[in-house]
């Protein structure tokens, strides 16, 4: 590249740093007018497409850069980032894996590569990249935040705490940092609560912008057994989300109704994959239930076995159904998508799922996919994977509902933010569960949370036996596992099993009366 084009390139990169996309586009055009095969010109053009959220065009251009110069790690990591945005996780991971050794002097692209690994569920691979980025350029907020998130997922709780405390020294009103700090450990005094309350008073923000602090304060008040005050903050948080959620619970109930209608016994047997054959070289174990009912605990127990690995919570079954349906919608899943996919050759679903998952699989012959709401897709799972094991984890109705009510799911599970929503959704969920129990019979392995935590060894042995796994002591010592967990239960699964969460709802018995009445009126046994 001659001196003039180098100057244009420098101007383009400066424009990108200022987010001056018009100037960046002009610089890219100027370079390509002078040299139609310039990797740098195409790279700058790719940044323009990226800024405009034109993912397909950005991918095409970054691929062009690598075609012209296969040493351009910047284009490669930008390409991986675009793949990740499109949830083409396997392709994203493959690109980062190929180029990560070339990132030794670029904290920006080390951080981006680590972010891509994190987004596709490969936190262990992300961790050293964030560490290298921090070593090259210490104290950068974004890198520090990514390091802290990695620490949490990998169980490095004290390290995460130190990072969040440093970040809060710089940004004392940063709500998400306060929230993440609150989740790390059990509060022993009110000092952090008072800091967070001071932030609320200082900022004077509308309720929907205080959600992180409401949940954090509620959590720490609960740690201190200040039950009424804790509930007040949980309620404030849920009400704040509900006020802007634009949610109609009937949409979730219509989805459940459609699943029950379409996935019946005749459908299950018609065109199913023949028993004894498999679309997968590895046998899946699906752990399902409601969120916060012990599904992560169950995953950790099973995946502590030497023959099993965990792929965590993947959305791949839902994503496969959505894609194969051919229906475009702002909603992640709709009754129409279920109806269209039910007409397809089931092997398209099985193969599509396994193709999306393959980049995550190691040497173990079996794997656990632990996503609570895969319970919606058990018909497709059972039909596509005749050898799959399916574990449903059940918890007391009131404990289940309250555990969801007090949890921030990053605006997912919108039914869980009000007692009315929970009171209407839970009976529909139980109706779906009854449908699967009748349809799948012994294929659906039932595990009761309360029994598991009160008699760990007996229930673990029974579970492993039903999964056709030999007993191993490691399954009783799951808390020693160093594998990542990115769920809301990240702290609980790092400690030994306990019964402290059994009947937790009774500390809020008076506050939860509206929920209790709704469930009882719907015929739900709140004591089981």
């Amino acid at each position: 590249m001659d001196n003039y084009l180098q100057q244009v390139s420098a101007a383009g990169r400066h424009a990108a740093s200022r987010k001056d996309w018009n100037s960046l586009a002009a610089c890219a055009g100027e370079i390509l007018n002078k040299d139609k095969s310039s990797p740098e010109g195409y790279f700058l053009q790719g940044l323009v497409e990226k800024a405009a959220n034109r993912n397909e065009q950005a991918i095409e251009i970054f691929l062009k850069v690598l075609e012209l110069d296969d040493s351009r790690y910047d284009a490669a990591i930008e390409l991986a980032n675009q793949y990740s945005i499109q949830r083409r996780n396997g392709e994203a991971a493959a690109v980062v894996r190929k180029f990560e050794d070339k990132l030794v002097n670029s904290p920006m692209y080390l951080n981006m590569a680590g972010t891509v690994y994190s987004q596709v569920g490969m936190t262990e691979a992300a961790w050293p990249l964030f560490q290298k980025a921090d070593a090259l350029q210490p104290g950068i907020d974004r890198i520090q935040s990514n390091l802290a998130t990695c620490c949490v997922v990998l169980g490095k709780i004290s390290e995460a705490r130190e990072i969040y405390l440093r970040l809060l020294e710089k940004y004392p009103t940063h709500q998400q940092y306060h929230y993440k700090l609150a989740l790390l450990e059990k509060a022993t005094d009110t000092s952090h609560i008072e800091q967070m309350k001071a932030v609320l008073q200082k900022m004077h923000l509308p309720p929907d912008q205080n959600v992180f602090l409401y949940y954090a304060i509620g959590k720490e008040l609960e740690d201190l057994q200040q039950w009424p005050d804790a509930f007040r903050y949980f309620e404030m948080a849920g009400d704040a989300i509900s006020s802007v959620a634009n949610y109609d619970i009937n949409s979730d109930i219509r989805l459940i109704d459609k699943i029950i209608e379409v996935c019946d016994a005749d459908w299950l047997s018609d065109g199913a994959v023949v028993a004894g054959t498999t679309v997968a070289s590895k046998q899946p174990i699906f752990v399902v239930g409601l969120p916060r009912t012990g599904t992560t605990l169950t995953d950790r127990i099973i995946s502590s076995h030497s023959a099993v690995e965990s792929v965590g919570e993947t959305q791949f079954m839902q994503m496969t159904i959505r894609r194969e349906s051919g229906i475009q919608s702002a909603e992640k899943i709709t009754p129409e998508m279920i109806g269209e996919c039910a007409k397809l050759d089931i092997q398209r679903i099985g193969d599509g799922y396994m193709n999306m998952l393959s980049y995550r699989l190691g040497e173990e012959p079996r794997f656990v996919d632990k996503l609570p709401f895969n319970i919606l897709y058990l018909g497709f799972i059972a039909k596509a994977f005749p050898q799959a094991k399916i574990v449903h984890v059940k918890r007391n109705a009131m404990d289940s509902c309250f555990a969801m009510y007090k949890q921030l799911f990053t605006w997912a599970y919108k039914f869980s933010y009000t007692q009315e929503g929970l009171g209407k959704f839970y009976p529909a969920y139980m109706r779906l569960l009854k449908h699967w129990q009748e349809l799948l019979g012994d294929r659906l392995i039932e595990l009761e949370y309360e029994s598991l935590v009160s008699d760990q060894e007996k229930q673990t042995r029974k579970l492993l036996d039903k999964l056709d796994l030999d007993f191993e002591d490691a399954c009783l010592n799951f808390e020693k596992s160093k594998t990542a967990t990115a769920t809301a239960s990240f702290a609980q699964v790092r400690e030994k099993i306990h019964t402290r969460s059994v009947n937790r709802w009774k500390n809020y018995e008076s506050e939860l009366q509206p929920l209790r009445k709704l469930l009882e009126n719907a015929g739900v046994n709140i004591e089981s």
Side-chain angles (χ1 to χ4, degrees):
M1 189 184 301
D2 63 29
N3 288 338
Y4 171 72
L5 293 184
Q6 287 179 353
Q7 291 174 3
V8 176
S9 170
R13 288 173 177 268
H14 184 56
S17 69
R18 303 192 319 271
K19 299 184 179 180
D20 180 356
W21 309 121
N22 289 332
S23 296
L24 176 61
C27 291
E30 177 71 11
I31 293 173
L32 291 172
N33 283 336
K34 297 286 186 181
D35 180 0
K36 297 189 184 304
S37 61
S38 168
E40 178 67 2
Y42 281 111
F43 178 76
L44 297 182
Q45 189 180 62
L47 295 182
V48 173
E49 300 300 327
K50 171 188 174 181
N53 295 317
R54 292 190 286 263
N55 304 114
E56 289 291 350
Q57 293 92 326
I59 287 171
E60 182 178 341
I61 292 170
F62 290 132
L63 284 169
K64 178 70 172 178
V65 176
L66 292 170
E67 179 185 323
L68 294 167
D69 182 356
D70 62 6
S71 69
R72 289 289 297 251
Y73 64 78
D74 51 358
I77 302 307
E78 293 285 1
L79 173 64
N81 181 52
Q82 294 301 304
Y83 281 151
S84 176
I85 290 170
Q86 290 199 342
R87 303 305 297 269
R88 294 162 65 175
N89 292 5
E91 292 166 276
V95 172
V96 176
R97 193 178 295 118
K98 181 178 178 180
F99 281 87
E100 64 177 276
D101 290 343
K102 296 181 173 64
L103 305 177
V104 290
N105 295 314
S106 176
M108 172 183 171
Y109 281 109
L110 280 164
N111 183 61
M112 186 181 291
T115 300
V116 171
Y117 269 149
S118 296
Q119 289 170 341
V120 303
M122 298 174 64
T123 309
E124 293 95 336
W127 170 249
L129 301 188
F130 290 137
Q131 285 183 304
K132 290 176 185 176
D134 185 55
L136 286 170
Q137 200 169 6
I140 301 300
D141 297 337
R142 181 176 296 181
I143 297 173
Q144 289 286 301
S145 180
N146 286 336
L147 268 173
T149 300
C150 251
C151 286
V152 171
V153 175
L154 296 174
K156 303 175 185 291
I157 303 302
S158 61
E159 294 176 49
R161 184 176 187 275
E162 290 176 9
I163 295 172
Y164 284 129
L165 287 173
R166 288 199 301 269
L167 288 168
L168 282 168
E169 284 183 10
K170 293 177 68 174
Y171 307 103
T173 63
H174 197 294
Q175 292 205 16
Q176 288 195 47
Y177 292 156
H178 279 293
Y179 171 72
K180 292 178 179 180
L181 179 64
L183 296 183
L184 293 179
E185 298 171 321
K186 188 173 183 178
T188 56
D189 58 49
T190 62
S191 57
H192 188 215
I193 294 172
E194 297 307 318
Q195 290 176 31
M196 292 187 285
K197 287 182 176 180
V199 173
L200 288 174
Q201 292 176 349
K202 177 181 179 180
M203 301 305 291
H204 296 293
L205 297 172
D208 62 282
Q209 295 181 38
N210 290 325
V211 167
F212 286 104
L213 283 184
Y214 292 156
Y215 276 114
I217 294 170
K219 185 267 179 189
E220 293 202 3
L221 287 168
E222 184 178 63
D223 289 342
L224 299 173
Q225 300 185 11
Q226 297 183 26
W227 315 118
D229 288 342
F231 189 88
R232 182 164 62 89
Y233 278 94
F234 293 143
E235 186 173 44
M236 289 164 63
D239 288 348
I241 293 175
S242 297
S243 70
V244 296
N246 189 27
Y247 170 66
D248 177 6
I249 193 169
N250 290 314
S251 62
D252 279 331
I253 294 176
R254 283 193 296 270
L255 177 62
I256 288 174
D257 288 341
K258 185 66 174 181
I259 292 168
I260 292 173
E261 173 195 338
V262 169
C263 300
D264 60 12
D266 290 339
W267 170 84
L268 183 63
S269 61
D270 181 24
V273 175
V274 178
T277 67
T278 178
V279 294
S281 60
K282 298 176 182 290
Q283 184 179 6
I285 301 169
F286 292 90
V287 175
V288 301
L290 285 170
R292 312 295 290 144
T293 57
T295 53
T296 300
L297 170 63
T298 305
D299 175 16
R300 300 289 283 193
I301 289 171
I302 299 170
S303 61
S304 294
H305 195 282
S306 61
V308 186
E309 65 177 324
S310 174
V311 297
E313 292 189 342
T314 86
Q315 302 277 344
F316 296 149
M317 183 55 65
Q318 175 179 280
M319 290 165 62
T320 300
I321 291 171
R322 176 185 173 87
R323 182 189 67 234
E324 294 297 328
S325 76
I327 295 174
Q328 300 297 316
S329 171
E331 300 296 323
K332 289 184 177 180
I333 198 75
T334 66
E336 292 74 22
M337 292 176 190
I338 295 294
E340 287 303 310
C341 271
K343 302 172 186 176
L344 301 177
D345 179 350
I346 193 62
Q347 192 153 345
R348 287 176 57 177
I349 306 299
D351 287 345
Y353 169 82
M354 290 304 301
N355 288 337
M356 294 190 76
L357 182 68
S358 60
Y359 78 98
R360 293 287 303 277
L361 298 176
E363 299 299 319
E364 294 85 350
R366 304 176 71 176
F367 67 89
V368 180
D369 186 334
K370 194 285 296 187
L371 184 71
F373 262 39
N374 270 339
I375 194 165
L376 295 174
Y377 316 118
L378 289 190
F380 294 97
I381 288 169
K383 190 170 182 177
F385 299 100
Q387 296 178 345
K389 299 292 185 179
I390 303 169
V391 181
H392 173 257
V393 186
K394 184 179 184 297
R395 188 180 180 187
N396 167 271
M398 289 295 291
D399 271 336
S400 295
C401 289
F402 177 62
M404 288 186 284
Y405 182 71
K406 65 176 183 173
Q407 178 66 45
L408 174 59
F409 292 108
T410 59
W411 281 259
Y413 306 125
K414 293 179 183 178
F415 62 84
S416 70
Y417 296 113
T418 66
Q419 294 192 56
E420 180 182 8
L422 285 161
K424 290 181 178 178
F425 182 84
Y426 190 87
Y429 172 88
M430 292 303 292
R431 186 159 48 85
L432 177 63
L433 175 61
K434 182 180 179 183
H435 174 72
W436 294 137
Q437 289 169 333
E438 293 174 350
L439 189 66
L440 302 180
D442 292 340
R443 288 199 63 185
L444 187 62
I445 300 168
E446 297 281 3
L447 179 64
E448 186 180 79
Y449 171 79
E450 290 80 8
S451 297
L452 177 62
V453 298
S454 64
D455 194 346
Q456 179 188 4
E457 181 169 349
K458 178 181 177 180
Q459 296 302 320
T460 298
R461 287 181 178 274
K462 286 175 62 176
L463 175 61
L464 294 176
D465 184 60
K466 291 179 180 179
L467 294 172
D468 299 324
L469 291 167
D470 294 331
F471 175 78
E472 292 182 359
D473 286 332
C475 297
L476 297 179
N477 300 302
F478 61 87
E479 75 280 359
K480 296 179 181 178
S481 172
K482 301 298 183 184
T483 56
T485 182
T487 74
S489 303
F490 70 87
Q492 293 94 317
V493 297
R494 304 291 180 186
E495 59 184 3
K496 283 189 172 295
I497 209 164
H498 60 76
T499 60
R500 295 194 301 272
S501 295
V502 175
N503 286 326
R504 174 67 64 92
W505 75 274
K506 290 190 174 180
N507 295 310
Y508 305 90
E509 194 159 6
S510 61
E511 292 87 352
L512 290 172
Q513 282 306 303
L515 171 62
R516 179 174 184 163
K517 289 179 181 177
L518 284 167
L519 294 181
E520 288 180 332
N521 289 341
V524 175
N525 182 356
I526 66 165
E527 297 300 332
S528 65

